[in-house]
Amino acid sequence: MRVLVVEDEEFLADMIVSGLRRAELTVDIAHSSRAALDRLRRDAYDVLVLDRDLPGLHGDEVFRYVVEQGLPTRVLQLTAAGPDGRHEPGADDRLTKPFTYEALRDRVLALGRRARSDRPPVIERAGVRVDTGRRLALRDGRPLALSRNEFGVLEVLLRAQGTVVSGDELIEEVWEEHPSYRTNAVRVTLGTLRAKLGDPPVIEAVPGAGYRMGDGAEPGGGEPAGAR
């Protein structure tokens, strides 16, 4: 599960992020609305934890972007107590400050489950098709016999819609138990997955960053240096 925390109070933001990471979630942080919008344009998130009262560009503008773009991201809005603690209509859930970490974690997990249930069951890119409901994967109509981890990696890369996914993010999303040798586990799985997908290559390595699904027009790159 991927979460974006948008909170301008750095101490509070760090506490939220640390706690959610202890719950084995993949968490990014933004301290302003503009930084949050940049993140949302680049990456896909299951849950957005959004402080409404941000300096400069108001937090409501971030929420409106999610709605206008039709993003599947679920929004947990953080509001102030008292008469100024209004909320933007349509937010999936809200918490009033101060709140307990346990309450926040439980709300995030519940929203994450809802977000995943709303995902389209069939995703496709560059002739690669995955039916998550039936656990089927095909390349140009040819069925692929994939292991659980290979299927999971392929699904994550397809859902990223061409954006880069790091090795650590793949581990968090796919592996039930996090292996000790993270980079090697990802590389081995990607190697067998690429072989089963065949030519032309569609999984590209981005040096120093991770992996992404290309369009199949050009061969993918080599292994990224130190991809995690």
Side-chain angles (χ1 to χ4, degrees), residues 11 42 70 89 98 118 125 158 166 177 179 182 204 213 226:
F11 179 75
R42 295 197 315 265
D118 290 343
R125 182 179 177 88
L158 282 170
S166 72
E177 296 183 2
R182 291 184 163 198
E204 302 174 355
M213 286 289 294

Side-chain angles (χ1 to χ4, degrees), residues 4-204:
L4 176 61
V5 174
V6 188
E7 170 60 65
D8 65 307
E9 297 179 29
E10 294 191 15
F11 179 75
L12 175 59
D14 289 343
M15 287 186 61
I16 293 172
V17 170
S18 297
L20 292 177
R21 285 175 177 165
R22 286 198 300 272
E24 298 187 351
L25 305 183
T26 301
V27 188
D28 292 327
I29 188 170
H31 294 299
S32 70
S33 291
R34 297 193 185 282
L37 290 172
D38 287 342
R39 284 279 190 178
L40 290 167
R41 292 184 183 110
R42 295 197 315 265
D43 301 314
Y45 293 95
D46 297 299
V47 180
L48 172 64
V49 179
L50 176 63
D51 181 18
R52 181 175 183 272
D53 299 312
L54 295 168
L57 187 66
H58 200 276
D60 288 353
E61 296 303 318
V62 180
F63 175 78
R64 289 172 190 148
Y65 175 83
V66 172
V67 174
E68 290 169 0
Q69 296 298 314
L71 301 182
T73 306
R74 295 289 183 168
V75 180
L76 173 60
Q77 192 176 77
L78 307 181
T79 63
D84 294 330
R86 297 172 296 165
H87 64 272
E88 179 73 6
D92 297 288
D93 201 353
R94 63 193 58 87
L95 272 178
T96 301
K97 296 179 180 180
F99 50 79
T100 66
Y101 162 70
E102 289 76 15
L104 177 103
R105 178 200 59 204
D106 292 347
R107 302 285 184 93
V108 167
L109 292 174
L111 289 176
R113 288 190 291 269
R114 288 170 58 187
R116 292 190 170 197
S117 68
D118 290 343
R119 288 176 173 176
V122 178
I123 43 180
E124 187 170 4
R125 182 179 177 88
V128 179
R129 181 181 178 90
V130 163
D131 184 330
T132 59
R134 300 168 63 192
R135 301 292 294 179
L136 295 176
L138 302 96
R139 172 79 189 268
D140 297 326
R142 172 176 58 88
L144 304 172
L146 303 182
S147 69
R148 178 196 173 279
N149 286 348
E150 290 165 353
F151 188 95
V153 167
L154 182 60
E155 179 184 350
V156 171
L157 292 175
L158 282 170
R159 290 201 187 281
Q161 300 178 16
T163 61
V164 177
V165 181
S166 72
D168 278 348
E169 288 168 338
L170 289 173
I171 289 287
E172 296 287 347
E173 290 281 348
V174 176
W175 271 257
E176 291 181 346
E177 296 183 2
H178 296 180
S180 299
Y181 300 97
R182 291 184 163 198
T183 304
N184 188 57
V186 172
R187 285 177 174 168
V188 169
T189 300
L190 277 162
T192 57
L193 176 58
R194 281 168 162 163
K196 292 178 181 180
L197 286 167
D199 293 324
V202 289
I203 298 178
E204 302 174 355

